Amino acid sequence: MVSRTEVLVVGAGVVGAAIAHAVAARGRKVHVIEQNTPASAVSGASLACIGTHMMDEDELPLLKWSCDAWAALAARSPTFEYRRCGQIRFIAQADEFASARHWTEMETRHGLRPVLVEPDEVRRIEPLLQGAILGATWSPDDAVVNPFLAVRTLLALARAGGASVESGTTVTALRSGDKGVSGVETSRGRIEAEHVVIAGGPWTARLAATAGVHLPIVPRKAQCLATVSRPPSIRTVVGACKAEGGVDAGYTQIQQAGSGQILFNTVLEGGTSGAGNPDRIDEVDRIFVRDSVATLLRLFPSLAKVELLRSWVRFEAVTPDDRFVIGPAGPDGLLIAAGDGGTGFIRAPAIGRLIADFIAQAEPAFRTDIYSPARFQPAAGHA
Ligand SMILES: Cc1cc2nc3c(=O)[nH]c(=O)nc-3n(C[C@H](O)[C@H](O)[C@H](O)COP(=O)(O)OP(=O)(O)OC[C@H]3O[C@@H](n4cnc5c(N)ncnc54)[C@H](O)[C@@H]3O)c2cc1C
């Protein structure tokens, strides 16, 4: 077992793996500790679409860089089924056109290539999408990755850069003194570290609290359904173009995995996205199944006879403003990277880069104030 390292990363989800990769690439000695196995929490349960979705303009430089970073990684290490399939965000009601136009114009200003398309064009792109829609936005550069393979690839690259990964060990507390963080206590003993990065998803707040850092990161139930495998039929990622954007607005995501299974999660009014316990894997709600199947069949009526195979639920980490917490917090040497709000795959490479910048005390590659832990702790004085 490792007893000393320069940078200790807690959590081997996609965020922890991307951080390990980015920090090891800068020549630092990195050790990753995962309480279970890599990608065993929400990262392995993800639909892992890489696109800018419908985010704030403030976030677009980071998101665009991150999407490009995934594409570059796939070109270099084609081991995680990166597929540039594009994303359709369908417009179901007339009042959604205004926001569709808004997002299209905004993303275009940032060098992205979304376009507004008529229903006929939607059906040319996605022939099976025969349900009644008024139009859509089409983002041809959006992609999907295999979430398990993506995490595994990032960790393999981190290891190639000298990092080590320890599974089945829980970090139980942070250790700090006058000079800041000095390491962690784990279920297998003490490890000294100059920097500790908590990328622990919904478990992050609990661990940060052991160093007196209180973060409003709470778990939110995220559910998904999968059909039996069928021949290739859905070509793209199909999402809803909601005026408010985001999961709570009624987010839909439908896609066909490389295995042939159709994966879909549609959060409609009445569906559940309330706080849960990250340690407990609950049952998928019946109402979620009913509403999700109804949405799938409304859009893709020809799938009526396709059988459901399985469902799953995990817990995403969310913050009050739905933005990640990225950066230093509390004692010197402690960094946080959590609060994914349902978009951690897209952002992971950029988060890795930012954390590597913080550790190197380099000029951060992106604007950091909007992600700063200090926004929830004004007295802490970190920016
Ligand atoms: C159905 C579904 C669809 C999604 N679709 C998308 C999408 O299309 N695009 C997108 O970008 N995102 C999507 N997401 C969200 C995305 O999966 C998450 O944002 C992302 O996986 C979060 O990664 P993470 O590394 O922060 O968290 P996690 O995967 O939760 O990783 C945290 C890890 O830390 C470990 N850990 C925690 N505490 C400790 C400790 N004390 N000691 C040791 N280990 C610890 C945990 O075991 C866990 O493995 C989706 C999620 C779901 C469920």
Side-chain angles (χ1 to χ4, degrees), residues 10-11 13-15 33-35 41-43 45-49 169-171 199-203 222-224 253 265 316 340 342-346:
V10 184
V14 69
V15 173
I33 298 195
E34 166 55 50
Q35 63 191 357
V42 73
S43 293
S46 186
L47 293 183
C49 173
T169 301
T170 303
V171 176
W203 291 268
Q223 312 176 98
C224 197
Q253 195 165 331
N265 64 335
E316 298 171 336
D340 66 78
T343 56
F345 260 88
I346 306 165

Side-chain angles (χ1 to χ4, degrees), residues 183-259:
V184 296
E185 299 289 350
T186 81
S187 51
R188 298 176 69 202
R190 182 173 290 182
I191 302 179
E192 291 177 24
E194 288 166 37
H195 306 271
V196 175
V197 187
I198 312 181
W203 291 268
T204 298
R206 195 162 68 194
L207 186 58
T210 66
V213 177
H214 298 286
L215 297 165
I217 298 175
V218 295
R220 175 175 62 199
K221 202 170 180 182
Q223 312 176 98
C224 197
L225 300 170
T227 69
V228 294
S229 293
R230 60 191 318 274
S233 41
I234 298 181
R235 301 171 172 175
T236 65
V237 175
V238 177
C241 186
K242 284 284 180 179
E244 305 84 2
V247 174
D248 285 331
Y251 185 76
T252 296
Q253 195 165 331
I254 300 169
Q255 65 205 51
Q256 188 165 19
S259 64

Side-chain angles (χ1 to χ4, degrees), residues 17 39 122-124 181 200 203 226 239 245 255 309 323 343-344 346 363:
V122 176
R123 282 170 199 127
R124 193 194 60 75
V181 152
W203 291 268
Q255 65 205 51
L309 178 68
R323 284 199 172 133
T343 56
I346 306 165
E363 184 65 28

Side-chain angles (χ1 to χ4, degrees), residues 114-129:
V115 284
L116 260 176
V117 286
E118 302 279 338
D120 283 355
E121 178 64 1
V122 176
R123 282 170 199 127
R124 193 194 60 75
I125 298 167
E126 189 62 88
L128 235 53
L129 205 170

Side-chain angles (χ1 to χ4, degrees), residues 26-222:
R26 304 248 185 128
R28 300 277 183 160
K29 190 171 161 45
V30 179
H31 186 59
V32 183
I33 298 195
E34 166 55 50
Q35 63 191 357
N36 202 328
T37 52
S40 55
V42 73
S43 293
S46 186
L47 293 183
C49 173
I50 309 300
T52 51
H53 291 294
M54 296 169 283
M55 311 286 179
D56 291 351
E57 187 152 19
D58 291 345
E59 301 221 62
L60 282 180
L62 178 146
L63 289 163
K64 182 175 184 314
W65 185 89
S66 216
C67 291
D68 292 346
W70 275 113
L73 192 64
R76 186 179 140 207
S77 309
T79 50
F80 54 94
E81 298 175 4
Y82 177 93
R83 192 165 56 90
R84 189 174 153 275
C85 56
Q87 179 165 199
I88 289 168
R89 295 182 208 121
F90 63 88
I91 297 168
Q93 290 172 0
D95 62 1
E96 290 166 6
F97 273 106
S99 49
R101 261 184 226 107
H102 165 73
W103 271 302
T104 306
E105 286 164 10
M106 190 174 83
E107 291 181 4
T108 304
R109 281 201 298 278
H110 286 265
L112 296 150
R113 303 193 305 148
V115 284
L116 260 176
V117 286
E118 302 279 338
D120 283 355
E121 178 64 1
V122 176
R123 282 170 199 127
R124 193 194 60 75
I125 298 167
E126 189 62 88
L128 235 53
L129 205 170
Q130 293 292 333
I133 58 166
L134 302 176
T137 62
W138 166 235
S139 303
D141 299 320
D142 287 5
V144 288
V145 302
N146 177 312
F148 288 105
L149 293 178
V151 171
R152 189 192 288 189
T153 299
L154 288 166
L155 290 176
L157 291 170
R159 280 197 191 91
S164 47
V165 182
E166 183 177 336
S167 295
T169 301
T170 303
V171 176
T172 52
L174 300 164
R175 301 184 64 238
S176 58
D178 294 346
K179 293 189 181 149
V181 152
S182 58
V184 296
E185 299 289 350
T186 81
S187 51
R188 298 176 69 202
R190 182 173 290 182
I191 302 179
E192 291 177 24
E194 288 166 37
H195 306 271
V196 175
V197 187
I198 312 181
W203 291 268
T204 298
R206 195 162 68 194
L207 186 58
T210 66
V213 177
H214 298 286
L215 297 165
I217 298 175
V218 295
R220 175 175 62 199
K221 202 170 180 182

